[in-house]
Amino acid sequence: MITGKTLVAGVVGRPVAHSLSPVLHNAWLATAGIDGVYVAFAPDAMGLERLANGFRGGAIRGVNVTIPFKEAALKIADRASPLAKAAGAANLLIFDRDGKITADNTDGAGLLGALAVQAPTWDVHNGPVTVLGAGGAARGAVAALLAAGAPKVWVLNRTLAKADAIAKSLGSRVLPLPYAHAASALQQTTAVINATSAGLSGDGALTLPLELTHPSTVVMDMVYKPLETPFLAQARALGRPTVDGLEMLIRQAIPSFEAFYGARPPSDTDVRALALKVLNP
Ligand code: NAP
């Protein structure tokens, strides 16, 4: 039941109608019996700041932020966590009672959480990691992997200058590499993480010689629509352990839920099954 005390939070993106976040958060709220609601907002291209300014002082508790607003979200915040600063982007804004906006980035927690759940024997400390892409998601992934203790992270991107920029801001453990030289990284890496939008809803898939990787190399795709991207299908056919983008989405939502509603999501709600029903009606 919605009451006068209902805690309101949501997600801001454009487009946002396809977002699975309302499905996850509202299912957790219902099971936990929390008087709260989670809704979607789609401001126009310049509208994030106006929307966020309207919520200052706690008109609503906070919002998750998705494409294309993650970098703008960090810029409008008054305070930011070290991970959001390192990622150069925020996927979580909290509207504090003092009128300030605090930015955080839980995508890194989502990435590491998904690896822990679906590839439990993989250890970030054990060797180099390869990240494909150099957009906002890749930058966040690299920052989180470094903070978790990855000894070295190769960043492969079509536009090499963007990979160079990540190395420049995140330090000497980051090594930019063109796709043409992927073989040397693939032969040594313990995990390959696709943080490009290739493979999204049937878009041009990545073609990478995954057969060069060690049989224990974990292959992860952040894209979850389709759940089995051509990239993950290639890895599965080679027998590599795989991690999907839906698990990352669920794991990044957990700290967001805690920040909005002050409680851990109930563990007995199968939000993955619910999300799969929405993805494959
Ligand atoms: P972005 O900033 O637009 O960056 C897109 C990246 O993909 C760029 O590095 C781009 O390379 C690369 N790219 C696009 N098409 C490509 C292709 N056909 N071949 C090779 N590279 C290609 O996007 P983003 O915010 O980083 O997001 C990237 C993906 O991660 C999106 O699909 C997003 O939905 C997903 N994501 C998932 C989660 C989750 O929880 N599962 C969280 C965050 C993001 P250039 O620089 O050369 O153009």
Side-chain angles (χ1 to χ4, degrees):
M1 189 174 25
I2 306 281
T3 73
K5 294 181 189 157
T6 299
L7 292 169
V8 181
V11 56
V12 183
R14 191 172 184 88
V16 79
H18 67 285
S19 172
L20 287 176
S21 293
V23 176
L24 307 179
H25 285 269
N26 287 314
W28 281 327
L29 286 167
T31 318
I34 294 172
D35 183 4
V37 68
Y38 186 100
V39 289
F41 303 96
D44 62 29
M46 305 306 290
L48 175 72
E49 191 163 0
R50 279 199 299 276
L51 181 133
N53 282 335
F55 293 147
R56 277 183 192 269
I60 72 168
R61 194 63 196 101
V63 287
N64 286 120
V65 181
T66 186
I67 289 173
F69 295 123
K70 287 187 183 183
E71 284 164 25
L74 180 65
K75 290 199 183 105
I76 62 170
D78 304 292
R79 316 181 255 246
S81 69
L83 257 182
K85 283 184 194 159
N91 74 330
L92 175 63
L93 294 177
I94 295 296
F95 304 110
D96 297 309
R97 294 215 175 276
D98 63 1
K100 306 270 193 219
I101 300 176
T102 302
D104 202 351
N105 193 315
T106 68
D107 279 339
L111 173 93
L112 296 168
L115 283 158
V117 169
Q118 293 191 342
T121 58
W122 180 79
D123 185 337
V124 68
H125 302 95
N126 279 356
V129 183
T130 302
V131 172
L132 311 176
R139 183 179 277 269
V142 175
L145 289 162
L146 293 175
K152 183 156 83 175
V153 182
W154 280 294
V155 179
L156 277 66
N157 199 42
R158 279 187 317 200
T159 315
L160 197 59
K162 281 162 75 181
D164 287 338
I166 294 182
K168 204 171 167 203
S169 62
L170 295 183
S172 58
R173 281 188 286 155
V174 183
L175 304 173
L177 203 66
Y179 278 106
H181 295 163
S184 59
L186 293 177
Q187 281 158 358
Q188 298 171 63
T189 197
T190 64
V192 185
I193 298 165
N194 177 28
T196 75
S197 40
L200 190 64
S201 296
D203 280 4
L206 286 173
T207 45
L208 212 64
L210 285 179
E211 63 279 6
L212 297 179
T213 58
H214 188 271
S216 66
T217 299
V218 173
V219 178
M220 174 170 181
D221 202 329
M222 288 195 191
V223 171
Y224 56 82
K225 203 171 182 181
L227 188 65
E228 171 147 299
T229 59
F231 185 62
L232 282 191
Q234 183 195 357
R236 278 200 187 120
L238 289 165
R240 302 295 183 265
T242 58
V243 175
D244 64 55
L246 178 57
E247 200 57 40
M248 175 172 168
L249 184 82
I250 293 168
R251 300 285 141 191
Q252 65 75 32
I254 292 173
S256 301
F257 186 92
E258 287 175 329
F260 298 144
Y261 306 110
R264 253 192 101 67
S267 53
D268 55 347
T269 316
D270 191 350
V271 286
R272 187 174 167 90
L274 271 177
L276 285 172
K277 268 194 204 158
V278 177
L279 283 175
N280 307 308

